[in-house]
Amino acid sequence: MVEESQCAIRELEHDLAVLEDKVVLTRAYISPIKRLPHELLRHIFLFNFEDCPWSAWVLSAVCSLWRRLVLSMPTMWSKVRLVTTQASSAETIRLWLERSGRSVPLDIEIVLRSPSLHPGAAESASRRRVLSISPHPAGDGWGAGWTTPPALHPGTNATAVHLQLAHAGGVHVFPTQVLVADPTVVAPPSPPHPTEYWGDMPPLVPSERGTSSQHRSRKNMHWGHIAFYYLVEQMHRWERFVFRFDKQFTSIGALKSIEGDAPLLREFEVSCTEPAFYGDWKWLPSAAANSQFDISKMTTLTLHHVPFKWSSPMLRNLRSLSLRTLPTVHIALDRILYIIASNSQLENLSLHFTSPNPPVLPLTPTTLPELKVFSLGGHYLLSSLVDSLLLPSLDTLILDIDAREPVEDTVSALLARSNNPPLTRLSLAYGLGPGSHSGFYWGSGAGVASWHFLSELDHLRSLQVGSAPFEPLLSTLGAPDDDGQDHWVCPNLVTLAMHGCHAHGDGVAKLVQMVDVRNPDPAAGGMLFAAGGVTPARLKHLELYECATLGPDVMKWLKTRIDEVVCTEPSFEGRYCGEGSHW
């Protein structure tokens, strides 16, 4: 009787489970989202697309109805965002482009990750504090402004996805378990790699199970040729094209196929993290001066460690230009000045030349009336280039050149010649990011004999200095009655960053005195005093890297005076001793 009763109970439990499944399916079938008109669903999809460019992969994996709707909307596929490796299939790019239709403008961002950057190396790199001071047209660092997309994982049959739907009052997240028939589906995001390499996007993880090493090797050899065959086919639709890679790869010759008309192109970037030795490519940035390519709408150009010619039509009529040359490129200074003069409407200019040649023709004064951000790094000969420029609208000045003469003379002369523009950010020898190869960073440092020129920079809000004496700068920024001053130096300064400015003797005491007078303690009755009719702003951000051994007591005191303090103490190995401590 007990056995019969247990069998009956099991049957009833099975019937109950079947009924519960039917209830769940019925509720899903009659859910409010099912009753939304298709036009409204498309509208919601577009809202999600604006926040998440790769959302089409998620939305098309929810159900057959949503899949049909998303596949019928080419705009949803018009922004290609992909972090991949040569071992991954290039057919993902083909599928993405096919679904974008034939007429929708394309916004393409592809990062090719080298397989040599294994997780251990990535983790080690992530511990290092990397400070990028070179302004980037699209933001600071690679991938600025990107959010984390899902990794596209071929061969996955089921995955949990999160659908974000725009809703009045906020964004709602609905977890959904889906089965996907498409061979390219969405997998859960893998941990992102260091932002100094890849921004915030995780890599595309290839499925290599059951694949021979010989087959993978052949795939690695041809990835670039396959991918760029599909991309260049759609060149007439490019509105924005960004391709970044960390080092030379097997099929790098595929970049030579980038040639032809791009009537919609506004931004073009091809960047490599590490310099290599390439020959002269016949591609769009190396086109002859008399070439007739339709790129009339392009305003932003970034070329880092790839070949280009100074006379290329691509290097004309730009508003944002960033160039970092290869070690084999030796351009004369007058030709560099020609590049600058050919872009008189520049607003953002970043140049790094490791081995320029002396000028052949005399350098003529060149005015850039709209330039706001100017970054210059590399060989000491570039100081002569600065002496030929007039920048009346300059807001940010970044100098990482190997100055053989005191750099303050170059800065003061540039500002005086430019009618003293309201400079708000100054960076001297502070280039610490990947790809920095100037000996200036670890050699002569800022090359400043005297900091008195800072007294002319009343609008300065951010100051970054590398490898300069520690105490003189702090004394200059201190109280006006010190060192013969009669007024506050840089009264609007809110951010101070120093790297490799080794302290000697009373360096820590000078730091405490400077902070004490600029950020007095209100609780103890401390007040800022005016000098020359000016009361300085309080420091809000202080960064010290390998400058002085402060000790926990000084660090604790700095925390009570400054909103944010980042510090790494000097190491005997002459390198970072870990990620910056946040106190």
Side-chain angles (χ1 to χ4, degrees), residues 182-338:
D182 196 295
T184 306
V185 297
V186 180
S190 56
H193 283 262
T195 55
E196 64 265 30
Y197 295 107
W198 316 117
D200 296 327
M201 297 201 304
L204 184 148
V205 183
S207 178
E208 293 288 350
R209 291 190 298 272
T211 304
S212 67
S213 59
Q214 183 179 2
H215 178 71
R216 288 196 302 269
S217 178
R218 288 200 304 268
K219 182 188 293 185
N220 294 353
M221 291 175 59
H222 301 300
W223 180 90
H225 298 290
I226 298 172
F228 277 90
Y229 171 76
Y230 296 133
L231 290 168
V232 174
E233 257 193 341
Q234 304 298 322
M235 194 168 172
H236 61 282
R237 290 201 288 144
W238 290 1
E239 188 174 57
R240 183 168 176 266
F241 180 82
V242 175
F243 178 67
R244 301 173 181 137
F245 53 103
D246 62 336
K247 59 181 63 178
Q248 186 174 7
F249 56 98
T250 309
S251 52
I252 195 171
L255 292 174
K256 301 176 184 179
S257 62
I258 301 179
E259 192 172 16
D261 293 335
L264 304 180
L265 188 62
R266 298 181 183 275
E267 179 180 346
F268 182 85
E269 175 183 345
V270 178
S271 298
C272 179
T273 304
E274 297 182 358
F277 296 91
Y278 308 129
D280 188 17
W281 293 346
K282 184 183 178 183
W283 67 320
L284 202 53
S286 298
N290 57 354
S291 300
Q292 299 295 326
F293 293 120
D294 186 0
I295 49 174
S296 56
K297 290 188 176 181
M298 194 174 68
T299 59
T300 301
L301 176 63
T302 301
L303 299 172
H304 288 180
H305 297 144
V306 291
F308 67 89
K309 286 186 177 179
W310 62 275
S311 58
S312 171
M314 206 175 197
L315 297 172
R316 299 174 189 169
N317 304 318
L318 300 169
R319 289 194 170 273
S320 180
L321 175 62
S322 180
L323 298 176
R324 185 176 284 267
T325 60
L326 294 165
T328 54
V329 174
H330 309 282
I331 303 178
L333 281 183
D334 56 305
R335 291 180 171 176
I336 299 176
L337 190 61
Y338 173 85

Side-chain angles (χ1 to χ4, degrees), residues 131-188:
L131 302 176
S132 175
I133 54 88
S134 297
H136 191 278
D140 293 330
W142 283 7
W146 289 354
T147 52
T148 305
L152 304 179
H153 195 314
T156 305
N157 294 323
T159 181
V161 299
H162 290 81
L163 171 64
Q164 296 183 354
L165 293 178
H167 187 274
V171 175
H172 296 259
V173 180
F174 303 93
T176 309
Q177 188 74 17
V178 295
L179 296 176
V180 186
D182 196 295
T184 306
V185 297
V186 180

Side-chain angles (χ1 to χ4, degrees), residues 458-517:
D458 292 342
H459 299 276
L460 197 68
R461 295 180 59 83
S462 175
L463 176 61
Q464 299 171 313
V465 179
S467 302
F470 192 68
E471 293 83 359
L473 175 58
L474 297 176
S475 297
T476 303
L477 297 175
D481 56 349
D482 294 341
D483 203 17
Q485 297 172 204
D486 58 356
H487 64 282
W488 286 99
V489 174
C490 302
N492 289 298
L493 190 69
V494 295
T495 299
L496 175 62
M498 304 176 71
H499 173 265
C501 301
H502 298 292
H504 301 282
D506 59 347
V508 177
K510 291 286 186 182
L511 173 65
V512 172
Q513 293 170 11
M514 186 273 292
V515 174
D516 190 41
V517 296

